[in-house]
Amino acid sequence: TETEFRIGAYVSRRELETNERLNVYTEGAFRESVRHIVGVQFRNCATVGGSIYGRYGFSDVLTMFLGMDTWVELYDAGRIPLTEFVNMKKDNDILVNIIVRKEPLLTCYLSQRNIKTDFPVLTCAASVIGNEARTVIGARPARAMIVEDKKQILKNFRNMTKKQKEEAIEAFAEYAAENVPTAGNMRGSKEYRTLLVKVLTRRAWEAVGGMKNEY
């Protein structure tokens, strides 16, 4: 609609990857968030509802949706912000739709993988939603989380000068690395993931701020 995207639970990841309007809105970030997932045949079968309802720690899609003004529509509970749903205890309610409100958006999605089609070692989405700066880190290897900017380092990011943005990005990347809990598994150590938090956060915000076109 004019005010939101309504995405049914059975929409495939491939449909998200190729949807022109969604990718224009996200400046290609949504395509980037799913294009590394296994292969086209798998993305034609895997549903967005399965990704969001499962709230998996390795989910690229969950990280990307958290980087937007996203709500879930449940059969019994109705509309709930994804930021709240991601931390709710799993129950037997049914996910019907994922809803993305069309707020003015600047966003970038990045991930680090050891092998192109493997699960990510770390994921990162950086966004300015209206005037709110939001950073999401996933595959920590726990489920994606929003990095709370308690020091308001990125406040009024849209209106900063280039130099102010550069200084804020560097400070926030350090802050994120210090405040995002990570752990080790077969794909990477705790220390490696903490380093990636800093690097991907800096790169994503540089892209959002217009300092870098892509990585």
Side-chain angles (χ1 to χ4, degrees):
T1 71
E2 292 184 0
T3 59
E4 64 187 24
F5 292 96
R6 293 178 58 84
I7 303 167
Y10 271 95
V11 168
S12 72
R13 297 186 196 182
R14 179 64 174 169
E15 289 177 274
L16 296 177
E17 182 182 5
T18 59
N19 186 273
E20 181 179 356
R21 291 177 181 175
L22 188 60
N23 280 293
V24 167
Y25 176 66
T26 62
E27 299 179 297
F30 225 110
R31 183 183 302 110
E32 177 63 26
S33 74
V34 297
R35 71 184 182 92
H36 298 290
I37 300 173
V38 187
V40 172
Q41 296 94 330
F42 178 84
R43 296 196 296 276
N44 274 326
C45 298
T47 64
V48 62
S51 297
I52 298 301
Y53 193 82
R55 289 160 276 190
Y56 302 114
F58 55 79
S59 176
D60 294 89
V61 176
L62 180 60
T63 303
M64 184 64 221
F65 272 117
L66 279 171
M68 300 183 289
D69 186 6
T70 305
W71 295 59
V72 296
E73 182 181 347
L74 302 173
Y75 183 78
D76 286 327
R79 283 195 178 194
I80 298 173
L82 181 59
T83 53
E84 178 182 330
F85 178 74
V86 70
N87 294 313
M88 287 173 55
K89 185 179 179 180
K90 292 183 181 180
D91 57 24
N92 291 323
D93 208 342
I94 299 168
L95 178 61
V96 180
N97 291 303
I98 296 98
I99 298 155
V100 179
R101 292 180 174 176
K102 291 182 178 178
E103 298 289 342
L105 182 73
L106 298 172
T107 188
C108 174
Y109 181 88
L110 297 173
S111 65
Q112 174 65 30
R113 285 168 157 80
N114 294 331
I115 302 171
K116 186 174 181 180
T117 58
D118 194 9
F119 290 127
V121 181
L122 196 88
T123 61
C124 176
S127 305
V128 181
I129 309 166
N131 291 315
E132 176 198 351
R134 182 181 295 182
T135 307
V136 184
I137 302 293
R140 307 175 287 116
R143 67 179 58 164
M145 62 170 283
I146 295 174
V147 185
E148 188 176 353
D149 187 5
K150 293 182 179 179
K151 296 183 178 181
Q152 297 189 324
I153 299 169
L154 298 175
K155 186 178 180 180
N156 297 321
F157 186 81
R158 281 183 186 268
N159 300 319
M160 290 181 184
T161 65
K162 182 179 179 181
K163 182 173 177 57
Q164 287 174 329
K165 286 179 179 179
E166 290 172 347
E167 292 173 350
I169 289 167
E170 196 61 40
F172 186 76
E174 291 277 0
Y175 174 83
E178 293 170 0
N179 289 277
V180 173
T182 60
N185 64 5
M186 64 183 290
R187 290 179 178 83
S189 66
K190 171 183 171 66
E191 292 77 16
Y192 180 50
R193 281 193 168 92
T194 296
L195 177 62
L196 286 176
V197 170
K198 179 179 178 180
V199 172
L200 293 190
T201 298
R202 175 177 55 79
R203 289 180 176 180
W205 276 109
E206 284 177 347
V208 171
M211 280 79 89
K212 302 286 184 181
N213 291 327
E214 61 182 37
Y215 284 93

